[in-house]
Amino acid sequence: MPHLMVEISAGLAVDETKLLADLAQALYDSGEFVLGDIKSRLYRADVSLVGTGGGGQDFIAVRLLLLAGRTDAVKQALAQAVLAVLGGLPFDCKPQYSVEVVELSPLYRKA
């Protein structure tokens, strides 16, 4: 734990492995996680549209899935750490960034 899922619009050029590594490092630096427990993946949205498609269509949407028990302040700090990494990416355009912190159900299981 945690699971880090990154969705990126298809046309946005980014070093995907470096982005995942930078996000994992930011989560590790929070002191909340062991680096080897952070499970990251990235998906490209083959087809996407923001509004009616009149510009500003690139985005990076991050979902951070956590086990229950962290305070809202900790979750907010984790979201801000993710946004700081995204905000530091060198793009010619201005993508829209979002971070959703999700607390998993007590029924979550892994094997």
Side-chain angles (χ1 to χ4, degrees), residues 59-78:
F59 65 87
I60 300 178
V62 177
R63 292 187 80 217
L64 179 60
L65 282 68
L66 306 172
L67 292 174
R70 289 179 177 81
T71 66
D72 285 344
V74 167
K75 290 185 260 187
Q76 177 66 25
L78 293 170

Side-chain angles (χ1 to χ4, degrees), residues 8-92:
I8 298 180
S9 54
L12 199 56
V14 63
D15 181 335
E16 297 169 351
T17 302
K18 182 176 181 345
L19 174 57
L20 290 179
D22 289 350
L23 290 169
Q25 187 66 49
L27 293 177
Y28 172 74
D29 290 346
S30 74
E32 290 292 317
F33 309 105
V34 174
L35 191 57
D37 290 344
I38 301 169
K39 296 157 192 76
S40 307
R41 60 262 225 190
L42 184 144
Y43 305 97
R44 289 280 179 172
D46 293 332
V47 178
S48 63
L49 187 67
V50 175
T52 59
Q57 297 181 36
D58 289 314
F59 65 87
I60 300 178
V62 177
R63 292 187 80 217
L64 179 60
L65 282 68
L66 306 172
L67 292 174
R70 289 179 177 81
T71 66
D72 285 344
V74 167
K75 290 185 260 187
Q76 177 66 25
L78 293 170
Q80 286 303 123
V82 168
L83 283 174
V85 171
L86 298 179
L89 294 172
F91 293 118
D92 292 333

